[in-house]
Amino acid sequence: MKYALRVTVAAVATTVTLPFLGPGTASAAPVSTGADGGAAGAAWTATEDGPQQYPNINIQWDVPITMSDGTVLKANVYRPADASGRPIDTQTPVVVNLTPYTKLVSNLADHAGSIPGLSDLLLNLLRQIDFSGTPLSGVTDLTKAFGGGELRNFSVDRQLIKSGYAQVVVDTRGTGFSQGEWDMLRQREQQDSVEVIDWASRQPWSDGNVGMSGISYSAINQMQAAEKRPPALKAIFPIVPGSDLVQDVLAPGGGFGLTFIPLWLTAINTTKWVPDVQSLLQGKFDTQWLADRAASPLTYMDVLLNAYASVRMDDLDPRVKGMLTDFSSERQAWLGDPSRVQVPTFVVGGWHDLFTYSESKIYNDIPLPPGEKQLLMGNTYHLNSGNDYGKPGLPPRLDVLQRAWFDKWLKGIDNGIDGYGPVTLYQQGTGGWATQAGFGASAPAEEAGGYRRMYLSANRSGTANSLYDGSLTVDPDGDSTRLTVAPGLSTLCSNDAAQGTAGILSIINACGEDSRIAESNGLTFTSAPVADATTISGPIAVRLNTVQDATDGYWTVTVNDVAPDGQSTVLSSGQLMASLREIDDSASARSANGDYTDPRPYDSLARRQPTVPGEATTLDIALSGTQAVLAPGHRLRIDVFAGNFPKGLPIGPMLADTGLKPEHLQLDPNAPSFVNIPVRGNTGW
């Protein structure tokens, strides 16, 4: 009730004063405090949820935007309108969203969320679905994402438009109603983004200031566009963006994204065939659209099939090789450079998102002062960003944060959003949130974890029912021991399987929140209980001394929080093909003792180094940065697997090279296996 009253008071104050405030009005910005923003957060919510400046929205459907190569993209343009529905004469900022999922889907989502009475009823119903405490509590995490503002960020925010913004939703080339062949975030599509921004800034209803919004793919092209520095682009709000797309999701560590990539390609290649029915009925059907679809009916699906149908490298389609070669044009297009971003950027990510590896790195690499860049990391997967936000102690809803961000950077309203965070993190293990000055490389000394080695030991811990129950120790074993693990299917029920399905499998707690089923075919190494609350904060690296029985091997590692009752919860994970072990030191990071903290592999077929059966091979595996607190009595655990199905599966030739043979971890004091982990607090180890 206190929070509701605070929001109500803020709403009344905002409604009364808004007509008298503008970019030039001198007034003290509210002060943001804590994860929910305090009084400032309540004011942002009131601004988004309260009465807006204009009563209606005018929509222009399928507006043509001609690119420099003659290809015509189609856009829906949403503008503020008066009571009669006529668009206002005043120029406004423009928010652009480029989507491959067709703006028809965005339109349907928008209308589903704007039916008077019914929409509020549906959203409230979704917010109230609660399976907490049941084996399917993950369902709740998915449904509550809609109550966290995600739907407005994905489609159209009518409150934003009514407050004095135009919103332009564009089908990327080769998708939706746009002409051309789908370019999948490569150079031509990136140029399209720049040209769309320029077009939006030059329209008579635009004031020349452009922002970008959107989720996932639409977040990636925000980053790509900002790196190209179009003059009119003033701010972006990417939700779950990627920057290193091969290492993020296509083939992290060489393990091809078997679950997500086929589902994603199928979704885009299916929806791109949905025709513009209205143009058919009006006799204005775009025959060029049909010709373009016929020229590339199932873009990249044949590449995927070839990747698994081939058993020799020589038989691979050149496009497969291009995807997996570090110097190819495709790879260069998919490897971002956030250091080129010069506009205010609010990054929203999740600890179990598909793009977790990149999200905190994007924040750290952007050369802007804190406040002009923000990082919000939730305990979320790809599909449930913003889960349950908007409650006391939790971050404001994503649509609320986005509105405040654009009001600040596109309209010049001093609303205090630049004082939020700048780094707001869900702390795994506590259920709470932390507001910090930085994370990982940007964390100040008092927030940063101190890196230390913890060694994988053959001494039994007595804590796991795994294939082998080892220990995690301060010093390496004095004896040499060989442990064997074979490829298996226990990871069908795992946190990585949930991540690879964008969060769908997370509805099953026994998979998403507990690794004990997966560990039945894995090697586990568990520490002694921590004495006091111990924070893990930053990227993690694991070094394994391995032996293959074949010319390749597929290794996966996870870092887990083990509760006294035995529940083993994944905090972060990583994977690597042994033949793709060469590390790009120019893109990697090390701790003060010289150990890797982020050993980024080239992940390139051109740099393959087949293993020699029976000989030791050192692997350095990068795990995504994370934030967690081990409660007193909890333990740290490293899990090691020979594979990661269904999240990943090597392409055909590399899978054939593994022979699906058992793999060996050689625990040798002269070549130790260890985790380099950033910890803060009294561990008691």
Side-chain angles (χ1 to χ4, degrees):
M1 287 296 294
K2 282 174 60 180
Y3 186 74
L5 179 61
R6 188 171 68 181
V7 171
T8 302
V9 171
V12 172
T14 300
T15 304
V16 170
T17 59
L18 186 61
F20 306 101
L21 297 178
T25 304
S27 61
V31 176
S32 173
T33 57
D36 63 4
W44 304 332
T45 302
T47 299
E48 173 71 355
D49 291 348
Q52 302 302 321
Q53 187 175 1
Y54 302 102
N56 281 321
I57 292 175
N58 177 272
I59 307 174
Q60 291 177 275
W61 306 106
D62 300 315
V63 176
I65 307 176
T66 303
M67 298 294 97
S68 56
D69 67 350
T71 300
V72 177
L73 309 187
K74 295 294 181 68
N76 290 343
V77 177
Y78 300 77
R79 295 171 56 199
D82 60 22
S84 68
R86 187 179 65 86
I88 63 169
D89 294 328
T90 306
Q91 293 179 326
T92 66
V94 184
V95 176
V96 171
N97 183 330
L98 291 116
T99 176
Y101 303 114
T102 128
K103 63 186 186 309
L104 179 61
V105 173
S106 174
N107 179 39
L108 292 173
D110 165 53
H111 279 77
S114 57
I115 303 172
L118 180 60
S119 299
D120 290 337
L121 181 66
L122 178 61
L123 285 176
N124 286 330
L125 176 63
L126 290 170
R127 289 176 184 138
Q128 291 169 13
I129 293 175
D130 193 349
F131 287 93
S132 299
T134 75
L136 296 176
S137 65
V139 172
T140 304
D141 294 332
L142 291 174
T143 58
K144 286 188 176 179
F146 294 102
E150 184 181 43
L151 196 61
R152 286 177 175 172
N153 298 88
F154 171 74
S155 57
V156 171
D157 186 348
R158 288 179 171 253
Q159 289 290 91
L160 180 75
I161 297 165
K162 289 179 180 179
S163 74
Y165 289 86
Q167 192 157 3
V168 178
V169 182
V170 186
D171 289 327
T172 59
R173 71 168 52 218
T175 72
F177 297 165
S178 290
Q179 296 176 358
E181 295 184 17
W182 180 37
D183 199 44
M184 201 164 78
L185 295 165
R186 293 183 300 177
Q187 286 86 351
R188 179 60 247 189
E189 186 178 303
Q190 293 178 32
Q191 180 60 29
D192 289 347
S193 297
V194 172
E195 293 179 16
V196 167
I197 290 166
D198 178 65
W199 176 89
S201 72
R202 293 185 291 101
Q203 297 310 297
W205 35 263
S206 168
D207 70 1
N209 295 306
V210 177
M212 295 186 77
S213 68
I215 296 173
S216 187
Y217 194 106
S218 302
I220 296 168
N221 61 33
Q222 289 181 58
M223 293 302 306
Q224 291 177 332
E227 289 171 16
K228 293 188 175 298
R229 302 176 181 175
L233 185 62
K234 304 300 189 221
I236 60 176
F237 197 91
I239 299 176
V240 292
S243 181
D244 191 348
L245 303 186
V246 172
Q247 188 63 11
D248 283 332
V249 67
L250 180 64
F256 201 85
L258 178 68
T259 303
F260 178 74
I261 297 299
L263 291 174
W264 176 65
L265 289 175
T266 300
I268 294 177
N269 278 295
T270 300
T271 55
K272 77 178 188 182
W273 278 96
V274 177
D276 182 353
V277 176
Q278 186 174 12
S279 70
L280 278 170
L281 296 175
Q282 294 176 343
K284 300 178 181 178
F285 183 67
D286 184 356
T287 56
Q288 183 60 51
W289 175 92
L290 184 59
D292 291 338
R293 294 301 180 275
S296 181
L298 296 171
T299 309
Y300 272 96
M301 292 297 286
D302 57 333
V303 178
L304 175 66
L305 292 173
N306 176 265
Y308 285 107
S310 303
V311 293
R312 298 187 313 134
M313 287 292 176
D314 291 344
D315 297 332
L316 282 176
D317 187 307
R319 292 171 295 171
V320 178
K321 294 180 180 179
M323 285 181 171
L324 301 177
T325 300
D326 60 311
F327 50 78
S328 69
S329 62
E330 292 96 328
R331 285 291 291 275
Q332 293 307 305
W334 294 334
L335 180 60
D337 182 5
S339 68
R340 288 189 50 78
V341 175
Q342 295 181 330
V343 297
T345 302
F346 197 121
V347 178
V348 178
W351 295 131
H352 306 289
D353 181 48
L354 292 166
F355 301 103
T356 304
Y357 179 73
S358 279
E359 285 157 355
S360 62
K361 295 173 72 170
I362 289 172
Y363 171 83
N364 283 336
D365 289 347
I366 293 174
L368 292 174
E372 289 185 37
K373 62 176 181 178
Q374 300 267 351
L375 175 66
L376 172 64
M377 294 293 291
N379 192 40
T380 53
Y381 294 89
H382 200 62
L383 289 178
N384 65 339
S385 301
N387 165 40
D388 219 19
Y389 294 0
K391 293 183 178 180
L394 304 184
R397 300 192 321 263
L398 294 181
D399 58 321
V400 169
L401 289 170
Q402 178 176 270
R403 166 72 179 277
W405 194 249
F406 288 148
D407 279 354
K408 168 66 178 178
W409 303 113
L410 298 186
K411 288 188 173 182
I413 298 173
D414 191 11
N415 56 16
I417 187 66
D418 51 329
Y420 185 67
V423 174
T424 307
L425 308 173
Y426 179 88
Q427 298 200 99
Q428 298 182 85
T430 69
W433 289 79
T435 300
Q436 300 187 173
F439 175 75
S442 64
E446 64 273 15
E447 294 176 354
Y451 278 93
R452 61 177 295 178
R453 287 186 181 186
M454 291 293 286
Y455 293 92
L456 279 57
S457 165
N459 294 328
R460 304 260 181 190
S461 77
T463 63
N465 294 314
S466 56
L467 187 65
Y468 188 92
D469 166 31
S471 295
L472 204 57
T473 59
V474 174
D475 298 307
D477 281 353
D479 298 326
S480 184
T481 306
R482 177 172 292 190
L483 305 178
T484 299
V485 58
L489 297 177
S490 66
T491 49
L492 278 165
C493 182
S494 67
N495 180 270
D496 267 13
Q499 184 190 47
T501 58
I504 295 173
L505 284 183
S506 70
I507 65 174
I508 306 172
N509 285 0
C511 298
E513 295 185 7
D514 196 340
S515 291
R516 283 178 286 187
I517 292 176
E519 288 170 352
S520 65
N521 190 47
L523 309 176
T524 60
F525 302 89
T526 312
S527 75
V530 296
D532 297 322
T534 299
T535 299
I536 299 170
S537 183
I540 302 167
V542 170
R543 168 166 286 192
L544 299 180
N545 185 37
T546 69
V547 176
Q548 273 62 228
D549 287 341
T551 55
D552 211 344
Y554 182 21
W555 294 85
T556 299
V557 293
T558 67
V559 172
N560 299 15
D561 173 1
V562 182
D565 66 1
Q567 180 173 337
S568 180
T569 304
V570 171
L571 305 177
S572 185
S573 68
Q575 59 183 24
L576 182 66
M577 293 297 299
S579 66
L580 299 181
R581 62 188 177 276
E582 186 178 355
I583 301 299
D584 180 0
D585 275 312
S586 67
S588 300
R590 296 177 184 264
S591 53
N593 65 358
D595 291 338
Y596 283 116
T597 59
D598 178 21
R600 183 192 176 279
Y602 281 102
D603 215 351
S604 174
L605 296 181
R607 297 175 182 270
R608 285 191 79 217
Q609 299 174 354
T611 56
V612 178
E615 291 190 7
T617 303
T618 299
L619 305 180
D620 289 297
I621 304 177
L623 286 77
S624 301
T626 194
Q627 179 94 357
V629 176
L630 302 181
H634 283 230
R635 302 169 186 259
L636 182 68
R637 175 177 290 167
I638 304 298
D639 289 346
V640 179
F641 303 96
N644 203 12
F645 184 84
K647 177 185 175 180
L649 187 70
I651 61 173
M654 288 198 291
L655 184 63
D657 284 348
T658 70
L660 294 177
K661 292 182 178 180
E663 300 171 7
H664 313 286
L665 183 62
Q666 188 70 43
L667 300 180
D668 183 346
N670 297 315
S673 297
F674 59 86
V675 57
N676 191 25
I677 191 159
V679 295
R680 186 174 72 246
N682 175 28
T683 63
W685 298 332

